[in-house]
Amino acid sequence: LYSSYYIRKSGRIKKSPINYDYRSHDWYQVPKLLGRPVLSEPYYGESGQAVMTTYSVPFYRQEQGKQVFEGMVSVDLSLERLRR
């Protein structure tokens, strides 16, 4: 597993570790199963300590003419930030 997670707090960006297997979460599983970007239902995010939504986009590599799932790019957005 590999993941980089960055969070903005007080105008600063810092790297924050992910200490769980993220592959079992909806923000990862749903776009992977559907094969397209997905915007999650709002939820309370512990890392950001805010109500947020996640936009996730699966990406692929080509192998023998077929697309093979490679991973996910996602961004968490607080609903307060979206409101502003």
Side-chain angles (χ1 to χ4, degrees):
L1 294 177
Y2 174 78
S3 180
S4 291
Y5 187 78
Y6 293 86
I7 188 165
R8 180 181 306 189
K9 277 194 171 182
S10 303
R12 305 194 97 155
I13 297 174
K14 75 173 204 170
K15 188 172 183 178
S16 180
I18 292 182
N19 300 319
Y20 63 90
D21 186 349
Y22 50 83
R23 296 173 297 177
S24 63
H25 290 260
D26 284 350
W27 62 262
Y28 188 92
Q29 282 296 315
V30 173
K32 180 181 177 184
L33 290 171
L34 296 176
R36 64 174 174 80
V38 171
L39 183 65
S40 76
E41 292 292 325
Y43 63 94
Y44 181 78
E46 290 291 331
S47 59
Q49 297 185 340
V51 176
M52 51 186 30
T53 185
T54 300
Y55 185 68
S56 301
V57 180
F59 64 92
Y60 304 86
R61 63 181 158 80
Q62 290 290 323
E63 187 174 288
Q64 299 178 4
K66 293 184 179 182
Q67 282 192 331
V68 177
F69 178 79
E70 188 74 12
M72 193 71 58
V73 175
S74 63
V75 61
D76 295 334
L77 301 164
S78 75
L79 296 186
E80 176 61 26
R81 185 169 177 90
L82 288 173
R83 184 188 67 77
R84 284 184 280 163

